Amino acid sequence: MSLYRSRHVAARFVPALFRSFVRIYVRPRVEGIEHIPREGALIIAANHTSHADTAVIYTVLPREVRSRFVAAAAQDYFFKGGVMQFLSRILFNAIPVARDRRGGQDPLRHAARALREGYALLLFPEGTRSTTSEIGPFRSGIGRLIAEFPGTPVIPTYVGGTNRVMPKGKIIPRPYRVTVRFGEPLYLKAHPKLRATWQTAADEVREAIVQLSGMALAHSVDTSSEQAD
């Protein structure tokens, strides 16, 4: 499985150093890791408030999943050349996703091919980072992938605290403990030719993440209370 895996020599050692830095810097609290299948194609669908989201999720994944991990990244932001594209590729095997259809190409062609090849695909269905910490509407693209790849597990994933680590508009991360909660796999259905079913499936994924976010918030409050005592 080398289709989307970075072949740069730096990809052999930089990701391991990067994961160590992330673990020390943000001390991620992880729950539900047992819900992630260790083999086969899957979609990790997460809320999105920060560019740190990808780094945190990638860091806490089991080794078997990291070995086939790809992250969908905005083509207009991460694939303009330079350092941003270089780091995205060697760290996360980033693949481009166009946020519009300009040029006439399928914006999800790389995401679809990755699933076809058996990769674990990280997707942020909001399409952009939230500036309010609330989970925004999900675009229908994830529903289209669900329709195209029936039976592929979707892992709803809530990430909390990354907006404090690296808020939108900031490039220097700050140390702050984050939470990652993985939900049970969703096996949803959508019709390849009925776009309304794509949005319905996307909304179901969003609702699962909303539920996870409420549980994570309660956990955070309980922890804070214990520390205060």
Side-chain angles (χ1 to χ4, degrees):
M1 182 182 292
S2 60
L3 178 65
Y4 287 116
R5 189 176 298 167
S6 174
R7 296 176 177 83
H8 195 281
V9 64
R12 300 177 184 175
F13 61 89
V14 171
L17 295 174
F18 181 77
R19 291 194 304 272
S20 296
F21 167 77
V22 172
R23 289 192 184 98
I24 294 170
Y25 206 70
V26 301
R27 298 172 295 129
R29 179 191 297 113
V30 187
E31 301 176 37
I33 197 75
E34 69 276 6
H35 296 315
I36 302 179
R38 295 307 196 264
E39 59 184 24
L42 60 93
I43 300 172
I44 302 169
N47 63 303
H48 197 24
T49 61
S50 169
H51 283 324
D53 294 333
T54 301
V56 171
I57 293 171
Y58 169 73
T59 295
V60 303
L61 288 173
R63 180 174 55 83
E64 302 95 326
V65 181
R66 290 199 311 270
S67 68
R68 64 184 201 280
F69 178 86
V70 295
Q75 181 173 311
D76 59 312
Y77 191 96
F78 288 96
F79 287 86
K80 297 189 294 185
V83 174
M84 186 77 76
Q85 180 171 329
F86 173 73
L87 290 176
S88 299
R89 285 288 302 137
I90 67 168
L91 289 174
F92 313 123
N93 299 317
I95 58 174
V97 173
R99 290 193 267 198
D100 56 51
R101 284 186 171 271
R102 282 181 293 184
Q105 292 185 317
D106 177 4
L108 292 175
R109 65 189 184 282
H110 289 293
R113 187 172 182 182
L115 291 176
R116 194 172 297 115
E117 295 288 333
Y119 282 91
L121 170 68
L122 172 62
L123 199 64
F124 298 110
E126 290 165 275
T128 188
R129 288 165 291 165
S130 170
T131 58
T132 64
S133 297
E134 296 190 6
I135 301 174
F138 277 16
R139 298 187 179 188
S140 63
I142 188 172
R144 183 197 135 184
L145 293 175
I146 289 169
E148 189 171 344
F149 297 94
T152 298
V154 177
I155 310 299
T157 304
Y158 171 74
V159 186
T162 48
N163 61 315
R164 301 285 295 274
V165 175
M166 188 183 289
K168 190 171 183 178
K170 303 294 183 181
I171 60 173
I172 299 177
R174 296 178 295 184
Y176 186 85
R177 192 169 195 191
V178 302
T179 296
V180 183
R181 185 187 292 267
F182 298 105
E184 295 184 8
L186 302 175
Y187 294 91
L188 304 173
K189 294 183 179 180
H191 194 285
K193 295 183 178 180
L194 298 178
R195 296 180 66 91
T197 66
W198 301 358
Q199 188 60 58
T200 298
D203 292 342
E204 289 184 58
V205 177
R206 179 185 181 276
E207 179 57 30
I209 298 174
V210 168
Q211 293 298 319
L212 290 173
S213 72
M215 295 168 66
L217 178 61
H219 178 84
S220 177
V221 170
D222 290 343
T223 301
S224 297
S225 299
E226 291 170 4
Q227 292 175 344
D229 293 338

